[in-house]
Amino acid sequence: MKSYDVIIIGSGFGGAMAAKPLVDAGMKVLMLERGDWVKRSVEENWGSRGSIDLSPYYDKSSLLHVPVGGNKPTMGLYSCVGGPSAFYGGVSFRFREADFEKNEQIEGKDAQGWPIKYNDLESYYTQAEGILNISGETDTDPTEPRRSAPLPQRAPPLANISQKVKASAQKLGLHPFQLPLAINYEDTNRQTCLSCKTCDTFACAVSAKNDLATTVIPQLMAKGMELRHNMVVTRLNVVNRRIVSVECVSKTTKQQHIFKADKFILAAGSLGTPHILLSSGLQHYNAGGHVVGRYLMRHLNAIIFGVFPGVADKEGRFHKQLAILDYYFGHPKAPAFNKLGSLQQMSTPPGSVVENELKGVLGKMLSPAVKLLSGLLAIVEDQPQYNNALTINTAFSDEFGLPRVIINHSYSDRDNAAMKVLTEEGKKIMKGAGALTHYVHKIRTFSHAVGTVRMGLNENTSALNEHCRFRGIDNLYVTDGSVMPTSAALNPSLTIAANALRVGELITKLN
Ligand SMILES: Cc1cc2nc3c(=O)[nH]c(=O)nc-3n(C[C@H](O)[C@H](O)[C@H](O)COP(=O)(O)OP(=O)(O)OC[C@H]3O[C@@H](n4cnc5c(N)ncnc54)[C@H](O)[C@@H]3O)c2cc1C
């Protein structure tokens, strides 16, 4: 049997970015991914069934059961080469320096903060921004962390509606700035952004989004990385505290495969990684194994939609352009909070998606109204809570032999109170921008899920050490969003990418 230096499970941010330093160092790397390549064509990606939950890349073959906290009692997995990056909004924030520090208000009395600090990640943030060719604006946001290099691309011009939102926020004394985005605006060797209406939640038909399947993964394969897609990993086998092999089932042939390597990286996402760890029984080798699946965070998100007749509907453009972080570390009128969250413009879904989601007369009535809307997404940092957990029920298994996943998640009183303060400020901005009225839409998806296999310095309260090595197993690392001890109030992908680059580089230096 062929053996590899490193096997990586999952091709999302954690997997692809950890692979980069390994492949660059000439190591023999196999990546296993349960999803398929996303097919690209205008009809496939930008049609009414292109949005991720309606597309074939929303994999329902291993349904996750969500008795508490979800939109629906069961949900699927975002599964494709590059993970949900193919469908994501491209917002690529660095966490702020203080996000890595202890905060008793967020973490409770036993606050531990992160075992690594902002400065440990700074150079990897710079690398990740370069790899993903991030556009944006620096030097305006008062919370902006130290950076050692400018962003590689300038921000594109603002749409009319964005100019109105910016002017309104400035009138309130705030400092709006352009969102850091993984979208191609300047490289004319590739298709540049067309500012269409089908970006966030859609794959880019013209490959102008710098997602991992467009940029990083093909480059890694050209350098020799082997990718096996449609391969569902079911188990990691351990002998003498080392993983010796990984078992998987091909989605297409249903045949079992076993692969061997010297080292293993789990990057199946914050829901997929604890599922594999628990079904392999690896928590029993780890002093902090009881936290596997626990401290699940997903941000508390809501969209403040403003109704802008005669403005939003005249705009053919992508409205996801501005961020306002002035209330990130609190609000003068709500001194009880030392952290609140971020406000970001959000693109509205096309009418066809609303019609698909809300079946029948309601969908038909509401879909034409969507073009009158422009949205501000409020992201609140949610508290890591032990009881917010992913567990497994081995009495039931799916067609691949993976046990059933059960997810229970509730927001804390603090999470909800912080959201109230932030949405009130969002409404003021939308009103000042000329919105006739507003509507607040709560989001209950797990698209920003993080934290289920957290890293830390205390071996009894964290499953990973500061190098993201799984305690108790010598050759197993985790590099996806599950490593995060806290969620910050910013989109997670760039931090996952930076940390994965750090851990990948570290593995190249081991013997
Ligand atoms: C619609 C949408 C929009 C988003 N927009 C943004 C944004 O603008 N900015 C931002 O920062 N974040 C955004 N996110 C969140 C972001 O995509 C995630 O935080 C990020 O992708 C998580 O990276 P990861 O490496 O932890 O896992 P993932 O990217 O989820 O990768 C995990 C991979 O592992 C694979 N996998 C799972 N189980 C198995 C198994 N058993 N065997 C083999 N492979 C497996 C999955 O198929 C997947 O490809 C968005 C998410 C969604 C859904």
Side-chain angles (χ1 to χ4, degrees), residues 357-406:
E357 286 282 295
L358 303 173
K359 306 276 181 235
V361 184
L362 189 61
K364 285 215 168 1
M365 272 169 50
L366 289 182
S367 62
V370 168
K371 63 175 188 284
L372 305 178
L373 305 180
S374 191
L376 261 192
L377 171 67
I379 302 183
V380 160
E381 174 161 0
D382 52 335
Q383 294 190 273
Q385 301 179 65
Y386 189 79
N387 289 333
N388 283 343
L390 176 155
T391 52
I392 57 167
N393 181 345
T394 50
F396 301 93
S397 55
D398 63 20
E399 59 183 283
F400 311 108
L402 276 165
R404 177 175 287 181
V405 165
I406 296 141

Side-chain angles (χ1 to χ4, degrees), residues 9-15 32-35 52-53 77-85 87-93 181 200-202 212 231-234 267-270 272-273 275-276 320 402 446-450 479-482 490-494 496:
I9 299 156
S11 65
F13 282 99
L32 299 168
E33 166 56 53
R34 74 176 283 156
I52 186 165
D53 286 19
L77 273 171
Y78 299 130
S79 220
C80 53
V81 173
S85 79
F87 294 85
Y88 83 147
V91 176
S92 305
F93 268 110
L181 291 171
D200 198 350
T201 84
F202 291 82
L212 300 165
M231 206 50 101
V232 181
V233 169
T234 53
S270 301
T273 284
H275 191 192
I276 296 169
K320 195 162 178 160
L402 276 165
F446 286 80
S447 53
H448 283 191
V450 295
T479 57
D480 53 34
S482 54
L490 289 165
N491 323 53
S493 65
L494 196 77
I496 299 170

Side-chain angles (χ1 to χ4, degrees), residues 444-508:
R444 294 191 180 279
T445 67
F446 286 80
S447 53
H448 283 191
V450 295
T452 48
V453 194
R454 65 184 194 175
M455 60 168 142
L457 294 177
N458 183 333
E459 64 171 19
N460 296 312
T461 58
S462 57
L464 307 174
N465 72 7
E466 70 275 28
H467 306 309
C468 293
R469 188 178 60 74
F470 191 79
R471 297 184 197 286
I473 304 281
D474 295 339
N475 62 344
L476 176 63
Y477 295 80
V478 178
T479 57
D480 53 34
S482 54
V483 309
M484 291 191 184
T486 58
S487 68
L490 289 165
N491 323 53
S493 65
L494 196 77
T495 301
I496 299 170
N499 184 56
L501 285 165
R502 176 184 78 94
V503 176
E505 185 184 286
L506 208 136
I507 294 173
T508 64

